Amino acid sequence: MASWQPIKLGLIMQQDDNKSKPKVGMNFLHIGSGQMFTSMVIAGFIVGYGIDYLLDTTPFFMIACGVLGLIGGSQKVHRLLQHMDKTQNKQNKEQIKDVDAN
């Protein structure tokens, strides 16, 4: 019987006989989600600044587009993290079934 040992990344458990490989790709999605959020907020401010420049207005559009970028970035990161949770739960259930079958 294989003994279970935690992986340093803490995402999933791995058996000694290496039947299942750790899924470390999910860690990179955490990094990507932070970059995605930041880029959406910055892009909102840049687009707003461009509109303000073209229309020769006060920074109304820059603030409005920045807030829209903040909202959109938050939604995108939330959806990504929900998808990661569903994927991780599915993998954990499959591992439990494999262990119970043995």
Side-chain angles (χ1 to χ4, degrees):
M1 177 177 242
S3 63
W4 290 86
Q5 296 176 354
I7 296 175
K8 289 183 181 180
L9 298 174
L11 283 181
I12 61 173
M13 307 300 270
Q14 180 181 14
Q15 292 183 357
D16 286 341
D17 56 1
N18 290 329
K19 285 185 180 178
S20 62
K21 298 288 182 186
K23 307 289 184 194
V24 295
M26 291 292 183
N27 286 336
F28 294 114
L29 289 177
H30 284 288
I31 296 169
S33 65
Q35 292 172 345
M36 186 183 318
F37 176 76
T38 305
S39 64
M40 288 185 76
V41 172
I42 291 172
F45 279 114
I46 290 172
V47 168
Y49 178 79
I51 294 171
D52 280 332
Y53 181 78
L54 291 174
L55 299 178
D56 195 29
T57 59
T58 59
F60 171 75
F61 287 105
M62 185 174 75
I63 293 171
C65 290
V67 169
L68 289 176
L70 180 75
I71 293 169
S74 299
Q75 288 179 341
K76 187 81 167 175
V77 169
H78 180 68
R79 262 188 260 130
L80 180 65
L81 293 178
Q82 277 184 334
H83 174 71
M84 289 171 54
D85 284 341
K86 288 178 184 177
T87 304
Q88 188 63 40
N89 288 340
K90 184 178 178 182
Q91 289 174 355
N92 289 341
K93 287 179 183 179
E94 289 173 1
Q95 285 183 350
I96 290 171
K97 287 179 183 178
D98 289 342
V99 170
D100 289 342
N102 291 334

